[in-house]
Coordinates of all heavy atoms in Angstrom, one line a residue:
Y89 N 130.7 -114.3 -34.7 CA 131.9 -114.6 -35.4 C 132.0 -116.0 -35.9 O 131.2 -116.9 -35.5 CB 133.2 -114.3 -34.5 CG 133.3 -115.3 -33.4 CD1 134.0 -116.4 -33.4 CD2 132.6 -115.0 -32.2 CE1 134.1 -117.3 -32.4 CE2 132.7 -115.8 -31.1 CZ 133.4 -117.0 -31.2 OH 133.5 -117.9 -30.2
F90 N 132.9 -116.3 -36.8 CA 133.2 -117.7 -37.2 C 134.7 -117.8 -37.3 O 135.4 -116.9 -37.6 CB 132.5 -118.1 -38.4 CG 132.9 -117.3 -39.7 CD1 134.0 -117.7 -40.5 CD2 132.1 -116.2 -40.1 CE1 134.3 -117.0 -41.6 CE2 132.4 -115.5 -41.2 CZ 133.5 -115.9 -42.0
M91 N 135.2 -119.0 -37.0 CA 136.6 -119.3 -37.2 C 136.7 -120.3 -38.3 O 135.9 -121.2 -38.5 CB 137.2 -120.0 -35.9 CG 137.3 -119.0 -34.7 SD 138.1 -119.7 -33.3 CE 136.7 -120.5 -32.5
T92 N 137.7 -120.1 -39.2 CA 137.9 -120.9 -40.4 C 139.1 -121.8 -40.2 O 140.2 -121.3 -39.9 CB 138.1 -120.0 -41.6 OG1 137.0 -119.1 -41.7 CG2 138.2 -120.9 -42.9
G93 N 138.8 -123.1 -40.3 CA 139.9 -124.1 -40.1 C 140.8 -124.3 -41.3 O 140.5 -123.8 -42.4
P94 N 141.8 -125.1 -41.2 CA 142.8 -125.3 -42.3 C 142.1 -125.9 -43.5 O 142.6 -125.7 -44.6 CB 143.8 -126.2 -41.7 CG 143.6 -126.2 -40.2 CD 142.2 -125.7 -39.9
E95 N 141.1 -126.7 -43.3 CA 140.4 -127.3 -44.5 C 139.2 -126.5 -45.0 O 138.4 -126.9 -45.8 CB 139.9 -128.7 -44.0 CG 140.9 -129.6 -43.4 CD 142.1 -129.9 -44.4 OE1 141.8 -130.1 -45.6 OE2 143.2 -129.9 -43.9
G96 N 139.1 -125.2 -44.5 CA 138.0 -124.3 -44.9 C 136.7 -124.5 -44.1 O 135.7 -123.9 -44.4
D97 N 136.8 -125.4 -43.1 CA 135.6 -125.6 -42.2 C 135.4 -124.4 -41.4 O 136.3 -123.8 -41.0 CB 135.8 -126.9 -41.4 CG 137.2 -126.9 -40.7 OD1 138.2 -126.6 -41.4 OD2 137.3 -127.2 -39.5
R98 N 134.1 -124.1 -41.1 CA 133.8 -122.9 -40.3 C 133.1 -123.4 -39.0 O 132.3 -124.3 -39.0 CB 132.8 -122.0 -41.0 CG 133.5 -121.3 -42.1 CD 132.5 -120.2 -42.7 NE 133.3 -119.4 -43.6 CZ 132.7 -118.4 -44.3 NH1 131.5 -118.0 -44.0 NH2 133.4 -117.7 -45.1
H99 N 133.5 -122.7 -37.9 CA 133.0 -122.9 -36.6 C 132.5 -121.6 -36.1 O 133.3 -120.7 -35.9 CB 134.1 -123.5 -35.7 CG 134.8 -124.7 -36.3 ND1 134.3 -126.0 -36.1 CD2 135.8 -124.8 -37.1 CE1 135.0 -126.8 -36.8 NE2 136.0 -126.1 -37.4
R100 N 131.2 -121.5 -35.9 CA 130.5 -120.3 -35.5 C 130.4 -120.1 -34.0 O 130.2 -121.1 -33.3 CB 129.2 -120.1 -36.1 CG 129.3 -120.0 -37.6 CD 127.9 -119.7 -38.3 NE 128.1 -119.4 -39.7 CZ 128.4 -118.2 -40.1 NH1 128.6 -117.2 -39.3 NH2 128.6 -118.0 -41.4
G101 N 130.4 -118.9 -33.5 CA 130.2 -118.6 -32.1 C 129.6 -117.3 -31.9 O 129.4 -116.5 -32.8
W102 N 129.1 -117.0 -30.7 CA 128.5 -115.8 -30.3 C 128.8 -115.4 -28.9 O 129.1 -116.2 -28.1 CB 127.0 -115.9 -30.5 CG 126.3 -117.1 -29.7 CD1 126.1 -118.3 -30.2 CD2 125.9 -117.1 -28.4 NE1 125.6 -119.1 -29.2 CE2 125.4 -118.4 -28.1 CE3 125.9 -116.1 -27.4 CZ2 125.0 -118.8 -26.8 CZ3 125.4 -116.5 -26.1 CH2 124.9 -117.8 -25.9
W103 N 128.7 -114.1 -28.6 CA 128.7 -113.6 -27.3 C 127.5 -112.7 -27.1 O 127.0 -112.0 -28.0 CB 129.9 -112.6 -27.1 CG 131.3 -113.1 -27.3 CD1 131.7 -114.4 -27.5 CD2 132.4 -112.3 -27.4 NE1 133.0 -114.4 -27.7 CE2 133.5 -113.1 -27.6 CE3 132.7 -110.9 -27.3 CZ2 134.8 -112.7 -27.8 CZ3 134.0 -110.4 -27.5 CH2 135.0 -111.3 -27.7
R104 N 126.9 -112.8 -25.8 CA 125.9 -111.9 -25.4 C 126.5 -111.0 -24.3 O 126.9 -111.6 -23.3 CB 124.7 -112.6 -24.9 CG 123.9 -113.2 -26.0 CD 122.4 -113.4 -25.6 NE 121.8 -114.2 -26.7 CZ 121.6 -115.5 -26.7 NH1 122.0 -116.2 -25.7 NH2 121.1 -116.1 -27.8
I105 N 126.6 -109.7 -24.6 CA 127.3 -108.9 -23.6 C 126.4 -108.6 -22.4 O 125.3 -108.1 -22.6 CB 127.7 -107.5 -24.3 CG1 128.5 -107.8 -25.7 CG2 128.5 -106.6 -23.4 CD1 129.7 -108.6 -25.5
T106 N 127.0 -108.8 -21.2 CA 126.2 -108.5 -20.0 C 126.7 -107.3 -19.3 O 125.9 -106.6 -18.6 CB 126.3 -109.7 -19.1 OG1 127.6 -110.1 -18.9 CG2 125.5 -110.9 -19.7
S107 N 128.0 -106.9 -19.4 CA 128.5 -105.8 -18.7 C 129.8 -105.3 -19.4 O 130.6 -106.0 -19.8 CB 128.8 -106.2 -17.2 OG 129.4 -105.1 -16.5
V108 N 129.9 -103.9 -19.4 CA 131.1 -103.3 -20.0 C 131.5 -102.1 -19.1 O 130.6 -101.3 -18.8 CB 130.8 -102.8 -21.4 CG1 132.1 -102.1 -22.0 CG2 130.4 -103.9 -22.4
T109 N 132.7 -102.1 -18.7 CA 133.3 -101.0 -18.0 C 134.6 -100.6 -18.7 O 135.6 -101.1 -18.4 CB 133.6 -101.3 -16.5 OG1 132.4 -101.9 -15.9 CG2 134.0 -100.1 -15.7
E110 N 134.4 -99.8 -19.7 CA 135.6 -99.4 -20.6 C 136.5 -98.6 -19.8 O 136.1 -97.7 -19.1 CB 135.1 -98.6 -21.8 CG 136.1 -98.3 -22.7 CD 135.6 -97.6 -24.0 OE1 134.4 -97.6 -24.3 OE2 136.4 -96.9 -24.7
P111 N 137.8 -98.8 -19.8 CA 138.6 -99.8 -20.5 C 139.1 -101.0 -19.7 O 140.1 -101.6 -20.0 CB 139.7 -99.0 -21.1 CG 140.1 -98.1 -19.9 CD 138.7 -97.8 -19.2
T112 N 138.4 -101.3 -18.6 CA 138.9 -102.3 -17.7 C 138.2 -103.6 -17.5 O 138.7 -104.5 -16.9 CB 139.1 -101.7 -16.3 OG1 137.8 -101.2 -15.8 CG2 140.1 -100.5 -16.3
A113 N 136.9 -103.7 -18.0 CA 136.2 -104.9 -17.7 C 135.1 -105.2 -18.8 O 134.5 -104.3 -19.3 CB 135.5 -104.8 -16.3
L114 N 134.9 -106.5 -19.0 CA 134.0 -106.9 -20.0 C 133.4 -108.3 -19.5 O 134.2 -109.1 -19.0 CB 134.7 -107.1 -21.3 CG 133.9 -107.8 -22.5 CD1 132.7 -106.9 -22.9 CD2 134.8 -108.0 -23.7
E115 N 132.1 -108.4 -19.6 CA 131.5 -109.7 -19.2 C 130.5 -110.1 -20.3 O 129.8 -109.3 -20.8 CB 130.8 -109.6 -17.8 CG 131.7 -109.3 -16.7 CD 131.0 -109.2 -15.4 OE1 129.8 -109.6 -15.2 OE2 131.6 -108.6 -14.4
F116 N 130.6 -111.4 -20.6 CA 129.7 -111.9 -21.7 C 129.4 -113.4 -21.5 O 130.2 -114.1 -20.9 CB 130.2 -111.6 -23.1 CG 131.6 -112.1 -23.3 CD1 131.8 -113.4 -23.9 CD2 132.7 -111.4 -23.0 CE1 133.1 -113.8 -24.2 CE2 134.0 -111.8 -23.3 CZ 134.2 -113.1 -23.9
T117 N 128.3 -113.8 -22.1 CA 128.1 -115.3 -22.2 C 128.6 -115.7 -23.6 O 128.3 -115.0 -24.6 CB 126.5 -115.5 -22.1 OG1 126.1 -115.0 -20.9 CG2 126.2 -117.0 -22.2
D118 N 129.3 -116.8 -23.6 CA 130.0 -117.3 -24.9 C 129.4 -118.6 -25.2 O 129.2 -119.5 -24.4 CB 131.5 -117.4 -24.6 CG 132.3 -117.8 -25.8 OD1 131.8 -117.8 -26.9 OD2 133.5 -118.1 -25.5
G119 N 129.0 -118.7 -26.5 CA 128.4 -120.0 -26.9 C 128.7 -120.3 -28.4 O 129.4 -119.6 -29.1
F120 N 128.3 -121.5 -28.8 CA 128.5 -122.0 -30.2 C 127.2 -121.7 -31.0 O 126.1 -121.7 -30.4 CB 128.7 -123.5 -30.1 CG 130.0 -123.9 -29.4 CD1 130.1 -124.1 -28.1 CD2 131.2 -124.1 -30.2 CE1 131.2 -124.4 -27.4 CE2 132.4 -124.4 -29.5 CZ 132.4 -124.6 -28.2
A121 N 127.4 -121.6 -32.3 CA 126.3 -121.4 -33.2 C 126.3 -122.4 -34.3 O 127.3 -123.0 -34.7 CB 126.3 -120.0 -33.7
D122 N 125.1 -122.6 -34.9 CA 125.0 -123.4 -36.1 C 125.4 -122.7 -37.4 O 125.9 -121.5 -37.3 CB 123.6 -124.0 -36.2 CG 122.5 -123.0 -36.5 OD1 122.8 -121.9 -37.0 OD2 121.3 -123.3 -36.3
D123 N 125.3 -123.3 -38.5 CA 125.8 -122.7 -39.8 C 125.0 -121.4 -40.1 O 125.5 -120.6 -40.9 CB 125.6 -123.7 -40.9 CG 126.6 -124.9 -40.8 OD1 127.6 -124.7 -40.1 OD2 126.3 -125.9 -41.4
D124 N 123.8 -121.3 -39.6 CA 123.0 -120.1 -39.8 C 123.3 -119.0 -38.7 O 122.6 -117.9 -38.8 CB 121.5 -120.4 -39.8 CG 121.2 -121.3 -41.0 OD1 121.8 -121.2 -42.1 OD2 120.3 -122.2 -40.8
G125 N 124.2 -119.3 -37.8 CA 124.5 -118.3 -36.7 C 123.5 -118.4 -35.5 O 123.7 -117.6 -34.6
K126 N 122.6 -119.4 -35.5 CA 121.7 -119.5 -34.4 C 122.4 -120.3 -33.2 O 123.1 -121.2 -33.5 CB 120.5 -120.2 -34.8 CG 119.6 -119.4 -35.8 CD 118.3 -120.2 -36.1 CE 117.4 -119.4 -37.0 NZ 117.9 -119.3 -38.3
P127 N 122.2 -119.9 -32.0 CA 122.9 -120.6 -30.9 C 122.5 -122.1 -30.9 O 121.4 -122.5 -31.2 CB 122.3 -119.9 -29.6 CG 121.9 -118.5 -30.1 CD 121.5 -118.7 -31.5
K128 N 123.5 -122.9 -30.6 CA 123.3 -124.4 -30.6 C 123.0 -124.8 -29.2 O 123.8 -124.6 -28.3 CB 124.6 -125.1 -31.0 CG 125.0 -124.9 -32.5 CD 126.3 -125.6 -32.8 CE 126.0 -127.1 -33.2 NZ 127.1 -127.7 -33.8
D129 N 121.7 -125.3 -29.0 CA 121.2 -125.6 -27.7 C 121.9 -126.9 -27.2 O 121.9 -127.1 -26.0 CB 119.7 -125.9 -27.8 CG 119.0 -124.6 -28.1 OD1 119.5 -123.5 -27.8 OD2 117.9 -124.7 -28.7
D130 N 122.5 -127.7 -28.0 CA 123.2 -128.9 -27.6 C 124.6 -128.7 -27.2 O 125.3 -129.7 -26.9 CB 123.0 -130.0 -28.7 CG 123.7 -129.7 -30.0 OD1 124.0 -128.5 -30.2 OD2 124.1 -130.6 -30.7
M131 N 125.1 -127.5 -27.2 CA 126.5 -127.2 -26.8 C 126.5 -126.3 -25.6 O 125.6 -125.5 -25.4 CB 127.2 -126.5 -28.0 CG 127.5 -127.4 -29.2 SD 128.6 -128.8 -28.8 CE 130.2 -127.9 -28.5
P132 N 127.5 -126.5 -24.7 CA 127.6 -125.6 -23.5 C 127.8 -124.2 -23.8 O 128.4 -123.8 -24.9 CB 128.8 -126.2 -22.8 CG 129.2 -127.5 -23.5 CD 128.6 -127.4 -24.9

Side-chain angles (χ1 to χ4, degrees):
Y89 64 92
F90 61 88
M91 291 186 276
T92 305
E95 307 300 319
D97 48 313
R98 286 190 173 181
H99 306 274
R100 293 187 171 276
W102 55 268
W103 301 348
R104 284 201 188 100
I105 308 302
T106 52
S107 174
V108 178
T109 306
E110 185 177 340
T112 59
L114 173 64
E115 296 179 16
F116 56 93
T117 303
D118 185 10
F120 295 86
D122 66 18
D123 291 339
D124 297 321
K126 293 183 177 73
K128 290 177 87 169
D129 295 332
D130 62 338
M131 290 297 289

